[in-house]
Amino acid sequence: MVAPQRLEMMSDPISPPPLTTALPGRLRAHLGNGQIGLRVGRIPFTDGLAVVNGFWGRHPKDGGSAVAIAPYPFTADIALGDRWASDVPGSIRLVSQGLDMSCGELCTSVRLELDGASATVDVVDLCSRTDPALALQEIRVRVDRPTLVRIRSSICTDGAPGRWLGADEIPRGRPPTADAWLTFEGMGGAATCGAAITVAADDAATGRRVEIDEGRGLVSVIAETPAEPGRAVRQRSIVGLVPDLAHTRPAHLAAILVGRGIARGWDDLRTANREAWRELWRARPVLDAPGDWQARSDASFFYLHSAVSRASLASTGVFGLAYGPGYHFYRGHVMWDVESFAFPPLVMTDPDAARAILRFRSRSAEAARANAALHGFAGLMFPWEAEPVRGEEAVPRWSKTDKDHINLDVGLAFSLYAAISGDRAFARNDALPVVDGVAEWLLSRLEWTDRGAEIRRARGPAEAFAPIDNDAFVNLSAITFLRRAAELLRWLGEDPPEAWEAIARQLVIPTDPRTGAIVNHDDYLPDEPLGETPEAAAAIFPVGYRGRPDVERATLRYALKHQVPRFVGTPMLSAALGVYAAWEGRRGLAADLLDRGYAAFFDDPFWAPDEYPAADERFPPASPMLANLGAFLGSVLTGFPGILPSLADPRTWPERPVVLPAGWRSIEVERLWVRGRPARLLARHGAAAATLELGEPPWAAGESRVRSIGSRVRPAVEAPAANVAPARGTSSGSA
């Protein structure tokens, strides 16, 4: 293989064009850092909504867990002379609003008209990646005539279902502390969120004071400044938001974290955030592709990394930390979409964020063990929809049951992290207990018949109306999981239980005897309800099942001919359909499926990938949908390049010729993380294989920022390629 050419200066990520009209009915801008998620309105200080990772409440419909609305950190009011903008409807008009995806900053300019005076107000909002409990806002006011400018910066609970538990001013001290604190209880009294605020006003400001107004739901700091034309009045706030999942006195910890932010300084926090995003963007896929594909890829990358970070105590939801009252957003629960779609691109682009997802599953293992026992099984059984505290089952009563593949999705995520990171300490201490528990559950879940090992009464991604037997996605995921679990143990120098690989060879695989293709389940009919879902193909990608090449080809061809034409435009798997066509050499079809299966899902004005196509009027806008954007990024990073990560030497991961969609010429990434080392990826259309070039570990290369994972990764002694049993037909796990 030829080493990839070195990238020259990477171009900046592409951001949406600035918004100059309010566009009512369209989603507000979304900012996030894995701990705080914000919907920021067109007028940021009058319209917004916040959620905090791990802060939850009781849903009013059934008392089940649901994401709770947290205090909004960016509420503000401005007075020119004696009149406050909030007292004069229509006094504020949007001029422009732009989301800078290169650094996660939302920059808004508005025009304010009050009492014969006018002002231009520029606002910067961001969530800090380096100090993830902190949200920062800057307000600059430029007046057209001399006047007194007053700015009220507030934490606001108005409109958030829940209860105000307490708030007060914090006495000023040395070193400087936060100005005020607030404790807020989520709906139903399930959890609390603590908040603290500090404000740095203009040097010429006078009359600075704290104001607590429970009736209006405001904890505010107000300062007034005599303003002159030509000189901006500036006020900056730092707000800390902490759930009681992190601390029994969350407002206390929020104030401590704000104090750390004060010591660092607003400018330094902003600079550090920009630097953190700059480092993250080095993992950005650079596409030599037509049209707007680079912009769509950049938006996908931005929203994925806005949704989860090392600070994500409770993993992340199907929409990350985005929420909107007009849609259910799956109540913010942790579901299989996270491990199956969002997790794989995270492992190579931000392993610390991927690790946070796994930490949540490790933390909730006891609830999974109890769940398995009450279902009559052994081992660990992770729930379909997990709540944030114990990770218990939180699925609403109207949801279908028997969607057991979530357990395999979780087990596969742990094995994937071990394979890509090469972290043996993690593999032994974190991955192995979960992998062993999932394997124990699987063996207790199987039923033995004269056909072999069967998994009956289950549902795959199609979520059939009634449970079915031997769902292809479930059984092929089980085979893949057992193989990888055995490889993991051998990599750690231990012998796996004989049953694991023996059962993988004996699991029933439903196959069409005429075409040789794997079909969705026993007694499958193409025209049955939800029969268009390409479940068997999905087990090949993104899951990574590998069997006989002729069976794989037959399965992909069957999916492309009989299922994909009816399925494309459906959530999750639609963004991966182009990979099936590319692997079959059908570049034109791959490009068409990408257009219909992903490009059609983007919502204006901030390019957030929706759950459904943007033109589908049956559903309100709901984005960013992690399953869709994760499936696309996974397609770009591993699917189209033909890369299958394993515990073997990473140079063996490229497993097939590179075939890209029509018009696409290459995919290149400056820096991924593989085995604790920076790695460059180059996939050129027509190449015999993609190239994955590993560099020196950060500590050896003298990089300025050594990631936490790096200190734990030893130079790996590569294991040989897995010993895969020879094929014995298409009715068992050797297919």
Side-chain angles (χ1 to χ4, degrees):
M1 293 184 290
V2 179
Q5 297 177 359
R6 296 291 179 184
L7 285 172
E8 299 300 330
M9 182 65 68
M10 186 182 70
S11 61
D12 291 333
I14 302 171
S15 297
L19 180 68
T20 56
T21 56
L23 294 180
R26 303 286 181 88
L27 282 174
R28 292 169 285 188
H30 174 59
L31 300 175
N33 62 7
Q35 159 71 6
I36 298 171
L38 303 175
R39 288 286 189 194
V40 183
R42 307 293 187 254
I43 311 299
F45 42 80
T46 65
D47 178 26
L49 176 151
V51 300
V52 174
N53 190 294
F55 179 52
W56 65 291
R58 299 288 182 189
H59 196 279
K61 180 178 180 181
D62 54 20
S65 72
V67 62
I69 307 303
Y72 183 62
F74 291 156
T75 297
D77 200 358
I78 300 172
L80 302 182
D82 295 327
R83 301 294 297 277
W84 288 97
S86 59
D87 296 330
V88 184
S91 60
I92 304 176
R93 176 179 58 84
L94 176 68
V95 176
S96 67
Q97 185 174 69
L99 177 58
D100 187 346
M101 290 184 172
S102 72
C103 57
E105 293 184 2
L106 184 71
C107 300
T108 309
S109 181
V110 301
R111 193 69 178 167
L112 174 61
E113 307 281 348
L114 282 174
D115 279 356
S118 63
T120 298
V121 182
D122 296 314
V123 186
V124 176
D125 298 307
L126 63 105
C127 299
S128 171
R129 285 198 73 84
T130 58
D131 294 69
L134 304 184
L136 281 66
Q137 183 177 69
E138 177 184 79
I139 300 174
R140 287 178 179 263
V141 181
R142 293 177 173 83
V143 297
D144 67 344
R145 65 190 63 185
T147 188
L148 182 67
V149 173
R150 288 177 290 167
I151 303 176
R152 176 191 287 119
S153 297
S154 308
I155 308 168
C156 181
T157 63
D158 185 42
R163 187 162 63 100
W164 177 297
L165 295 183
D168 204 351
E169 181 175 358
I170 299 174
R172 305 297 289 171
R174 291 289 183 268
T177 60
D179 291 296
W181 62 270
L182 164 73
T183 301
F184 184 74
E185 183 181 76
M187 53 193 181
T192 59
C193 180
I197 183 172
T198 189
V199 168
D202 191 278
D203 290 341
T206 60
R208 188 178 184 280
R209 69 183 189 278
V210 172
E211 184 179 87
I212 309 294
D213 188 342
E214 183 176 353
R216 297 172 61 194
L218 295 175
V219 174
S220 310
V221 180
I222 304 170
E224 58 185 43
T225 306
E228 298 286 343
R231 189 182 72 85
V233 173
R234 185 180 71 180
Q235 185 156 304
R236 290 168 157 181
S237 63
I238 302 174
V239 175
L241 293 170
V242 174
D244 63 0
L245 180 65
H247 197 281
T248 55
R249 298 170 61 202
H252 180 73
L253 182 57
I256 290 173
L257 294 171
V258 168
R260 287 173 60 92
I262 295 170
R264 190 167 189 174
W266 202 97
D267 284 320
D268 282 354
L269 286 170
R270 183 184 192 183
T271 299
N273 176 71
R274 289 183 167 188
E275 175 63 17
W277 272 107
R278 190 193 70 80
E279 283 290 306
L280 197 55
W281 279 109
R282 293 179 66 186
R284 163 207 192 202
V286 177
L287 310 180
D288 188 348
D292 295 327
W293 279 111
Q294 185 64 63
R296 296 186 189 108
S297 180
D298 288 349
S300 304
F301 189 93
F302 172 78
Y303 287 115
L304 174 65
H305 291 284
S306 299
V308 60
S309 70
R310 67 173 59 168
S312 300
L313 303 178
S315 185
T316 194
V318 182
F319 291 87
L321 300 179
Y323 181 75
Y327 195 62
H328 54 72
F329 282 84
Y330 297 97
R331 300 191 181 184
H333 295 160
V334 182
M335 299 174 66
W336 78 288
D337 312 57
V338 175
E339 278 82 11
S340 293
F341 299 105
F343 184 83
L346 274 174
V347 180
M348 289 195 287
T349 58
D350 188 359
D352 290 338
R355 184 73 175 272
I357 289 173
L358 300 184
R359 280 201 306 267
F360 170 73
R361 295 299 188 181
S362 293
R363 176 166 64 81
S364 59
E366 285 307 307
R369 190 171 299 280
N371 191 40
L374 293 176
H375 278 78
F377 302 128
L380 303 176
M381 183 178 177
F382 291 96
W384 183 246
E385 298 187 30
E387 53 82 31
V389 179
R390 285 174 41 86
E392 296 173 333
E393 179 65 81
V395 64
R397 59 191 176 197
W398 42 260
S399 178
K400 301 168 186 174
T401 58
D402 304 301
K403 294 178 279 194
D404 295 347
H405 67 82
I406 173 63
N407 224 28
L408 300 166
D409 303 325
V410 172
L412 286 166
F414 274 87
S415 65
L416 180 65
Y417 185 91
I420 292 177
S421 72
D423 187 339
R424 293 179 188 272
F426 165 85
R428 184 172 296 280
N429 299 328
D430 297 80
L432 194 54
V434 173
V435 167
D436 183 68
V438 172
E440 187 181 3
W441 164 84
L442 178 59
L443 269 59
S444 72
R445 176 74 168 82
L446 298 172
E447 298 181 37
W448 289 93
T449 69
D450 55 2
R451 299 173 67 195
E454 300 192 49
I455 301 177
R456 294 180 170 179
R457 297 176 301 281
R459 288 184 174 92
E463 300 187 21
F465 292 105
I468 45 90
D469 295 340
N470 298 309
D471 179 89
F473 184 89
V474 175
N475 287 26
L476 297 180
S477 294
I479 293 168
T480 304
F481 167 75
L482 289 171
R483 289 173 177 172
R484 293 183 182 177
E487 292 169 3
L488 180 65
L489 269 177
R490 289 195 182 97
W491 187 63
L492 292 172
E494 300 181 19
D495 294 327
E498 293 182 6
W500 289 5
E501 289 168 305
I503 289 172
R505 292 191 292 270
Q506 297 178 73
L507 265 164
V508 170
I509 299 178
T511 306
D512 183 343
R514 297 169 301 167
T515 63
I518 303 172
V519 293
N520 281 14
H521 55 80
D522 286 352
D523 304 318
Y524 169 74
L525 297 173
D527 59 351
E528 69 185 21
L530 306 174
E532 67 274 15
T533 308
E535 292 191 305
I540 296 170
F541 181 81
V543 172
Y545 168 78
R546 293 296 180 269
R548 284 180 11 201
D550 61 319
V551 175
E552 177 182 295
R553 287 194 299 270
T555 302
L556 295 181
R557 289 171 182 169
Y558 184 92
L560 290 169
K561 181 177 181 180
H562 297 288
Q563 296 176 308
V564 166
R566 294 183 293 144
F567 180 83
V568 64
T570 302
M572 296 185 293
L573 294 176
S574 282
L577 298 178
V579 172
Y580 309 154
W583 286 4
E584 285 298 297
R586 302 176 64 179
R587 300 185 68 197
L589 179 59
D592 176 64
L593 291 175
L594 273 178
D595 284 337
R596 293 191 288 149
Y598 193 55
F601 285 70
F602 279 73
D603 287 330
D604 289 332
F606 296 110
W607 298 352
D610 206 319
E611 181 174 14
Y612 290 92
D616 191 336
E617 297 182 352
R618 295 176 300 166
F619 307 99
S623 58
M625 172 52 152
L626 296 195
N628 291 343
L629 65 86
F632 170 77
L633 289 172
S635 299
V636 169
L637 292 174
T638 61
F640 293 124
I643 289 175
L644 181 65
S646 72
L647 287 164
D649 188 330
R651 291 173 294 182
T652 69
W653 294 0
E655 61 169 355
R656 63 182 77 223
V658 178
V659 180
L660 302 182
W664 289 45
R665 288 173 287 275
S666 67
I667 299 168
E668 192 167 4
V669 182
E670 178 191 359
R671 187 190 68 191
L672 299 172
W673 289 103
V674 175
R675 301 293 166 85
R677 300 180 178 188
R680 292 177 180 269
L681 170 66
L682 176 62
R684 293 194 185 280
H685 172 71
T691 304
L692 192 63
E693 181 189 65
L694 270 65
E696 290 295 320
W699 60 90
E703 289 204 6
S704 59
R705 179 172 175 265
V706 178
R707 297 172 47 261
S708 62
I709 188 175
S711 62
R712 300 184 58 210
V713 179
R714 297 173 294 182
V717 177
E718 303 299 350
N723 181 21
V724 181
R728 297 184 181 178
T730 57
S731 62
S732 70
S734 58

